Amino acid sequence: MDDRELDEFKTQINLTAFAATHGYQVDRKKSCRSSIVMRRGKGDKLLVYKSHRNEWRYWAVHNPPDRGTIIDFIQQREPGKTLGAIRQDLRPWIGAQVQLPSPSTYVPDVTHTPKDRQHVMEAVSTMERVTEHPYLQRRALGKETTWDPRFQGCVLRDSRGNVVFPHRDMEGV
C-alpha cells in the first residue's frame, strides 16, 4: 500500500467540505481563519484545523477521543470500514472528481497558525500578577486559591484587563 496516497488524502482533501457531506455545517460566528467550528444536530461539534504538516485535522469537542485526520473521521463515523474501503471512498476527492457541497456549508481553506514563543514570552513579561478579578470571582476562584504558593504567577492580567492563565512546558511559557 502507498503511504503517499494516505498523505494526499490528509493534506489535499478539504475536511470541512468532506464533513459537510456528512451533515456538518460551519458555525461562522465561532470560527476563525485558523480553526473552523462545525456542528451537526444539537451535540455534535467539531473543531477543524490544519497541522504544522499541513494536514487537515479535526477534534470532536464533546468526545475528545474522536480526533485526527480524515481517515480517523471516517473510521469514527463508519466503524468496521476497512482502510481499503476508505481509500476507495476518498480517491474521487483527489483531483476534484466529486461534486462539492454548497459553498455556504464549508470553508475553502484554513490557515495554520505557527506558535511564536518569543512573542508570547514578551507579552507575558509585561502582564501584571493578580489575585482578584471579577472573572475569577464568577468562576469561584478566591484568594485562597490565587494566593496559594503553587499558583503564584499563574494568574495574570493583560493590558486590556483580561485574565490570562499562561501555559508552560519544559521550555517555559
Side-chain angles (χ1 to χ4, degrees):
M1 300 248 173
D2 186 3
D3 287 343
R4 284 180 296 167
E5 182 179 54
L6 294 176
D7 290 338
E8 285 178 357
F9 295 153
K10 295 172 188 178
T11 58
Q12 293 182 25
I13 299 174
N14 181 327
L15 188 50
T16 66
F18 190 82
T21 66
H22 286 74
Y24 288 88
Q25 298 282 322
V26 174
D27 183 340
R28 296 193 187 278
K29 290 183 180 179
K30 299 290 183 180
S31 299
C32 66
R33 293 180 320 140
S34 62
S35 59
I36 307 303
V37 174
M38 299 188 79
R39 298 178 188 273
R40 181 175 71 175
K42 288 192 177 216
D44 200 356
K45 178 179 171 183
L46 301 178
L47 181 65
V48 180
Y49 59 97
K50 278 193 178 174
S51 74
H52 67 283
R53 293 176 40 189
N54 206 36
E55 291 179 343
W56 286 87
R57 299 188 68 82
Y58 79 98
W59 174 57
V61 174
H62 301 297
N63 183 14
D66 182 7
R67 63 187 318 148
T69 66
I70 194 165
I71 308 293
D72 303 294
F73 180 87
I74 296 170
Q75 289 174 328
Q76 286 290 325
R77 279 140 195 87
E78 299 180 47
K81 191 166 216 172
T82 67
L83 186 56
I86 292 170
R87 285 176 185 262
Q88 288 177 345
D89 289 349
L90 293 179
R91 283 180 184 132
W93 283 82
I94 301 294
Q97 299 170 3
V98 295
Q99 177 77 30
L100 290 174
S102 167
S104 66
T105 63
Y106 72 98
V107 296
D109 202 4
V110 176
T111 305
H112 168 69
T113 305
K115 308 277 188 274
D116 185 348
R117 186 177 292 271
Q118 186 63 36
H119 176 76
V120 171
M121 289 171 35
E122 289 170 9
V124 168
S125 72
T126 66
M127 295 180 190
E128 172 188 359
R129 290 182 180 185
V130 294
T131 56
E132 295 182 71
H133 188 278
Y135 175 80
L136 298 174
Q137 293 171 348
R138 286 193 308 271
R139 304 298 284 179
L141 292 171
K143 288 182 185 178
E144 65 280 351
T145 302
T146 58
W147 283 3
D148 188 296
R150 295 175 295 169
F151 303 115
Q152 292 298 308
C154 293
V155 184
L156 308 173
R157 181 174 47 227
D158 68 10
S159 62
R160 295 177 300 218
N162 299 313
V163 173
V164 176
F165 302 92
H167 294 266
R168 301 180 194 282
D169 61 17
M170 298 301 281
E171 298 177 40
V173 177

